[in-house]
Amino acid sequence: MGKIKINLSSVLQGILISIIVCFAVNPISCKITETGIDVISGDYVPPVLQKVEVIDDKSVRISFSESIILNGFTITEHIEDVSNSSEHSETEELSLALKTVTDFSNSINAEYVYKNNNQEVEFLFDKNTIVGKTYNIFGVVEDAIGNSLTFCVPFIGFNSKVAKMIMTEVRSVSDSKNGFREYVEFLVIEEGNVAGVQIKIGGEESKTYTFPAIDVKKGDVIVYHPEKVGDGIEDELFDDLTLCHHTDSNGNARDLWGTSEKSIIGNNDDIIVLYDQVNDFIMDVVMFRKADTVTWTKNKQLAADFINDAGIYDSSDIENANYTKGGTAPVSASAKHTLQRINTSDILQKIHNDEKVELPVKVDSESWQIVKGAFSPGVVE
């Protein structure tokens, strides 16, 4: 038998031409076979992951754009800077994230079932997830034609007992000279955990803060400081409420801090929403404005639309917002002026008598007022 000589350069050129032809054919797909190029018409777009829903502390549902088959999955606890690593290896070694996935000692056992004509996959864990803890689901799915999608999605351990709170005081201006910063104060009216509760300010996603997993009791006071500026800043995540020594901190209240380097609450008008995203429930809202502000800005109108049916204000129309004028001084005139809920003492009395406070607490344009020359972060009276 004679030897066959192969011209490597010619082979490489042939492969390159085949690849170019494949990419040039649009919108149909192709594959290289032993006899040449096989053109395949039809769908070659992979499934799209549309939604991740945490159903309870032992199950999560993932929705896709079309019917799929799950080819494999791993569920792990999230490891910061590892699970979310986008590092790609240029060797045969796995990336940092994939190495973590293959460490089955870190994985959570689960079964799965298909729902909604195989467009949803529901994962059923063999143990409860931890409230507020982050997990990752890594998986591969494909559609009926074989288009595949590899995905990694995070989810937060389900909070089965969300604490109920109301807002009691807002300072919407900072005084850098004296170290005073804006804040929002809350009163806990029913014990539980605050994981998953959000503060949404002005309809802007970048101004949203999500509470960490903390168990709280009825009557506890929490102060959220959006600006992480100044000395003595500490997040008080556990029982010690004296860790924070900032000018606006209080040893009897829990101080939590955002990440902004500047004030984010409107001085003269804004909408602040306290939202339980676990149960899709708006706990509380405060809307405020100057008397001569007659329309919401675009983002604030989005917030107004979001809260319109919450039943807290008669409607989210701007004329129902609380005025930011107390006498002659607008709220923005001094960091010593704050917007305070005026019926807080009645709610405190109910808490003291162990009476249930039903949410949402209805308010009107007179329920919040400017208190001049006084501020008291962490003190609810």
Side-chain angles (χ1 to χ4, degrees), residues 78-98:
H78 181 82
I79 303 174
E80 193 62 36
D81 297 326
V82 175
S83 298
N84 57 345
S85 170
S86 59
E87 169 196 339
H88 293 280
S89 175
E90 295 181 356
T91 68
E92 294 181 356
E93 296 181 359
L94 295 174
S95 70
L96 194 58
L98 291 178

Side-chain angles (χ1 to χ4, degrees), residues 344-358:
T344 305
S345 58
D346 297 336
I347 296 171
L348 280 171
Q349 187 62 44
K350 286 186 176 182
I351 290 175
H352 180 74
N353 294 337
D354 204 25
E355 297 177 33
K356 188 175 181 63
V357 179
E358 295 289 347

Side-chain angles (χ1 to χ4, degrees), residues 9-241:
S9 175
S10 297
V11 172
L12 291 176
Q13 288 179 17
I15 293 174
L16 179 60
I17 291 171
S18 298
I19 293 173
I20 292 172
V21 171
C22 280
F23 278 103
V25 179
N26 186 24
I28 54 180
S29 182
C30 64
K31 64 181 180 180
I32 301 172
T33 69
E34 292 181 358
T35 58
I37 298 174
D38 185 12
V39 179
I40 308 167
S41 63
D43 174 25
Y44 64 97
V45 177
V48 176
L49 193 155
Q50 295 183 322
K51 185 166 58 174
V52 179
E53 299 173 272
V54 180
I55 301 170
D56 54 34
D57 51 9
K58 295 187 72 172
S59 58
V60 170
R61 182 187 301 125
I62 301 182
S63 303
F64 296 90
S65 58
E66 58 182 311
S67 297
I68 54 88
I69 297 172
L70 181 66
N71 283 338
F73 72 93
T74 301
I75 302 172
T76 67
E77 295 181 6
H78 181 82
I79 303 174
E80 193 62 36
D81 297 326
V82 175
S83 298
N84 57 345
S85 170
S86 59
E87 169 196 339
H88 293 280
S89 175
E90 295 181 356
T91 68
E92 294 181 356
E93 296 181 359
L94 295 174
S95 70
L96 194 58
L98 291 178
K99 282 181 181 178
T100 304
V101 177
T102 57
D103 178 11
F104 291 101
S105 63
N106 188 44
S107 64
I108 298 172
N109 294 326
E111 297 179 348
Y112 65 91
V113 293
Y114 294 111
K115 299 284 184 74
N116 189 24
N117 194 31
N118 285 30
Q119 286 189 234
E120 297 174 351
V121 180
E122 194 167 302
F123 295 92
L124 310 172
F125 313 140
D126 69 346
K127 64 180 181 180
N128 294 348
T129 52
I130 299 172
V131 175
K133 190 175 184 65
T134 303
Y135 300 84
N136 294 103
I137 300 179
F138 295 82
V140 180
V141 297
E142 66 176 39
D143 61 18
I145 297 178
N147 302 310
S148 65
L149 170 72
T150 302
F151 64 89
C152 171
V153 292
F155 69 93
I156 306 297
F158 185 76
N159 184 358
S160 60
K161 190 178 181 182
V162 179
K164 292 182 171 58
M165 302 185 291
I166 59 169
M167 291 179 280
T168 50
E169 184 175 6
V170 176
R171 182 164 72 203
S172 64
V173 65
S174 298
D175 181 347
S176 300
K177 180 180 179 181
N178 294 302
F180 302 145
R181 300 288 171 181
E182 60 185 12
Y183 62 82
V184 184
E185 179 187 80
F186 307 89
L187 174 65
V188 179
I189 62 173
E190 187 175 312
E191 68 177 19
N193 196 290
V194 294
V197 177
Q198 293 184 325
I199 311 301
K200 304 172 80 68
I201 298 174
E204 297 183 47
E205 194 61 35
S206 62
K207 295 182 179 181
T208 296
Y209 172 82
T210 302
F211 281 94
I214 303 172
D215 289 320
V216 293
K217 302 185 296 296
K218 183 166 60 176
D220 284 357
V221 179
I222 301 173
V223 181
Y224 166 57
H225 311 264
E227 297 175 88
K228 201 166 189 176
V229 179
D231 298 324
I233 292 174
E234 293 285 348
D235 275 319
E236 295 172 335
L237 304 176
F238 303 103
D239 293 337
D240 188 355
L241 303 184

Side-chain angles (χ1 to χ4, degrees), residues 322-343:
N322 303 91
Y323 285 135
T324 56
K325 279 189 176 290
T328 59
V331 67
S332 58
S334 170
K336 295 184 179 181
H337 296 177
T338 62
L339 189 64
Q340 297 184 12
R341 182 188 287 268
I342 64 170
N343 64 340

Side-chain angles (χ1 to χ4, degrees), residues 1-6:
M1 178 181 293
K3 294 183 180 179
I4 299 175
K5 295 183 179 180
I6 299 176

